[in-house]
Amino acid sequence: MSTPQPSTATHQPVRAATAAFIGTAVEFYDYYTYATAAALVLGEVFFPSSNHFLSTMASFATFFVGFIARPLSGAVFGHLGDRIGRKKMLLVTMFLMGIATTGIGLLPGYATIGIWAPILLVLLRVLQGIAVGGEWGGAVLMASEHAPKAKRVFFASFPQMGSPVGLILSLLSFRLVSSLDHESFITWGWRLPFLASFVLLLVGVAIRMGVKESPEFERMKKNNEVLKNPVGEVLRTAWRPIVLAAMATTIGSAGFFFTNTFMISYVTTYLGMSKALILDCLFVVTILQLLSQPVSALLAQRYGDTRFLTWAAFISMLTPYPMFLLVSTQNPVAMVAGITLAVVTLSAVYAVIAGFMTPAFPTRVRYSGISIAYQVCTMIAGGTTPLIGTMLAERYKGEWLPLALFFTVLSAISLIGIIGLGRYRDGKQPEESAALATN
């Protein structure tokens, strides 16, 4: 009679990690679809201007608007996730993202409804930000809290792999519609990737419905350890790991928007390359990124996550220089090699950072802590990166060194945060062991 129980216990961690991976892939498909469209088409449709630079900046500004909502959303969903459960929040965030992305695909442009077009676009973009703001922390916790303790770094990397898969799907969809003539692409072609989100929404919700609640949350609930105000508690008692975790994840967040969003605009506007060429290059790069991330997680699990992340962030400081040299050749093979060098290195940070930061927070405030840290970072660093990159490219036309230095600074911030958070965790572990022994 008890035979099914071990089987269920054995398969639930894999099922939870798989659901976190697929659900996050759907959410990031939606998010990257907007990012790609912002680089390619939204400026022309919603912010028409004779000055291409101003249209692009306006488009990237709406991209940034979505990031403004993310820290508040992370706090709200973190609070609810620490009080009523991780699973419920993930279903809500997925539904919100699907509705927002589908709505953008149906939204008339400036030529049809005038100023209401950009206003409604901004509102839907804010809704996207709210959804993804609550998504990341819950997905990471569902994967890691179901996992065996010795394998949490690896299992926590599954939601991170959803990011490149979402990007691959987004790039594929835009690669298909970008083959249309310009008028068709501007009129209706760009909308198709957004409308496809509704189908992915149904798939993601169905998969997540089949996963049980986090066992650590259930244990906390059973022991009456659920806090009334987890956000207030984490801000009061754990502000230091929040700051350090936000710094640590900088290149893992901002770096992708540098290589996968800003780079599209940079090479098409300032180097005169075709949309199809850069999308094809990024497609190959993202496949290599996807293959590299589980390897990074396994290496970190074997040799220590702090040591691995320290080296990854340091190497990432060096990679933008060969990347820009190779991109400047405009040779597809060289471009893929250069961008891959930067992306694989920064994605090594991204793959491991979730499992690295999670143990720094107690279970009762963990959803709130990691969500606030990650979303504050994405707002400050991720959302502004395409804007800063575009301003540097415009200011220093024909020069890539300022852009490379910007990338190096982002990596250096991560390196400082990783070292600091690693030391903080090492200092907390003896205290936790002593507390467990006392209890």
Side-chain angles (χ1 to χ4, degrees):
M1 296 295 292
S2 61
T3 304
Q5 293 178 356
S7 177
T8 301
T10 301
H11 287 91
Q12 191 62 206
V14 176
R15 186 181 300 171
T18 303
F21 160 65
I22 294 175
T24 306
V26 173
E27 292 251 7
F28 275 95
Y29 165 81
D30 290 3
Y31 217 67
Y32 282 128
T33 293
Y34 190 96
T36 305
L40 291 177
V41 67
L42 295 186
E44 187 171 347
V45 174
F46 292 95
F47 305 95
S49 170
S50 57
N51 188 318
H52 182 77
F53 169 70
L54 294 178
S55 293
T56 302
M57 287 295 291
S59 179
F60 280 149
T62 65
F63 178 68
F64 174 62
V65 164
F67 286 87
I68 296 176
R70 287 174 66 164
L72 178 59
S73 171
V76 170
F77 280 103
H79 173 87
L80 295 173
D82 282 328
R83 279 193 53 77
I84 65 177
R86 284 68 157 124
K87 177 180 175 179
K88 294 183 181 70
M89 294 305 100
L90 289 179
L91 293 173
V92 172
T93 59
M94 175 157 284
F95 179 77
L96 290 177
M97 180 63 88
I99 294 301
T101 306
T102 304
I104 292 172
L106 297 172
L107 187 63
Y110 188 92
T112 304
I113 59 173
I115 192 63
W116 282 105
I119 291 174
L120 292 174
L121 179 66
V122 168
L123 291 176
L124 289 170
R125 176 61 181 161
V126 169
L127 187 57
Q128 273 195 328
I130 291 171
V132 82
E135 159 71 20
W136 183 85
V140 165
L141 293 187
M142 284 294 282
S144 64
E145 291 181 350
H146 273 283
K149 189 173 182 180
K151 298 182 178 180
R152 288 195 170 184
V153 170
F154 179 66
F155 275 79
S157 72
F158 273 67
Q160 308 296 75
M161 287 190 285
S163 175
V165 169
L167 179 57
I168 288 170
L169 293 174
S170 177
L171 289 172
L172 271 176
S173 63
F174 269 98
R175 181 64 183 88
L176 290 173
V177 297
S178 66
S179 60
L180 297 168
D181 63 86
H182 182 72
E183 184 177 352
S184 298
F185 178 69
I186 293 296
T187 304
W188 56 268
W190 69 270
R191 299 178 182 277
L192 298 181
F194 286 90
L195 297 178
S197 172
F198 188 75
V199 177
L200 297 176
L201 164 68
L202 299 178
V203 174
V205 169
I207 291 171
R208 283 190 168 170
M209 288 290 289
V211 180
K212 295 180 180 179
E213 180 56 87
S214 156
E216 289 198 24
F217 177 81
E218 293 286 14
R219 191 179 307 118
M220 183 176 67
K221 187 177 177 182
K222 182 180 179 180
N223 295 335
N224 295 317
E225 296 174 352
V226 176
L227 298 176
K228 290 184 177 180
N229 184 14
V231 169
E233 177 73 10
V234 77
L235 291 175
R236 184 178 65 84
T237 63
W239 61 267
R240 185 182 173 193
I242 287 176
V243 172
L244 292 172
M247 293 175 64
T249 196
T250 297
I251 191 60
S253 173
F256 286 127
F257 295 112
F258 188 103
T259 57
N260 297 323
T261 302
F262 164 71
M263 190 63 77
I264 295 174
S265 174
Y266 174 72
V267 301
T268 55
T269 302
Y270 297 97
L271 299 183
M273 299 186 198
S274 68
K275 297 182 181 73
L277 174 59
I278 185 59
L279 291 176
D280 287 345
C281 289
L282 289 176
F283 178 73
V284 175
V285 169
T286 308
I287 291 175
L288 296 173
Q289 174 199 338
L290 176 60
L291 295 174
S292 73
Q293 283 192 196
V295 176
S296 295
L298 288 171
L299 289 173
Q301 189 169 275
R302 179 171 181 177
Y303 296 107
D305 50 6
T306 303
R307 179 186 299 177
F308 178 85
L309 286 169
T310 299
W311 276 105
F314 175 74
I315 295 171
S316 188
M317 293 174 61
L318 309 176
T319 58
Y321 307 96
M323 175 179 71
F324 276 105
L325 281 171
L326 292 169
V327 167
S328 298
T329 66
Q330 303 195 27
N331 177 280
V333 175
M335 290 174 64
V336 167
I339 300 173
T340 297
L341 180 63
V343 167
V344 167
T345 308
L346 71 89
S347 68
V349 177
Y350 183 73
V352 179
I353 202 68
F356 174 69
M357 70 166 67
T358 298
F361 299 93
T363 305
R364 64 184 183 275
V365 296
R366 188 171 288 157
Y367 199 146
S368 301
I370 67 171
S371 294
I372 292 171
Y374 185 79
Q375 302 307 340
V376 166
C377 171
T378 57
M379 180 189 73
I380 295 174
T384 60
T385 288
L387 285 168
I388 295 172
T390 301
M391 287 189 290
L392 289 173
E394 183 71 13
R395 172 66 178 82
Y396 300 98
K397 289 182 179 178
E399 300 179 40
W400 54 260
L401 184 58
L403 296 169
L405 289 171
F406 175 44
F407 192 99
T408 295
V409 169
L410 295 173
S411 302
I413 293 171
S414 277
L415 178 60
I416 295 168
I418 288 163
I419 294 171
L421 190 60
R423 291 178 177 175
Y424 175 86
R425 285 192 334 173
D426 292 343
K428 292 294 288 183
Q429 286 173 358
E431 297 177 18
E432 292 170 359
S433 299
L436 287 173
T438 302
N439 293 335

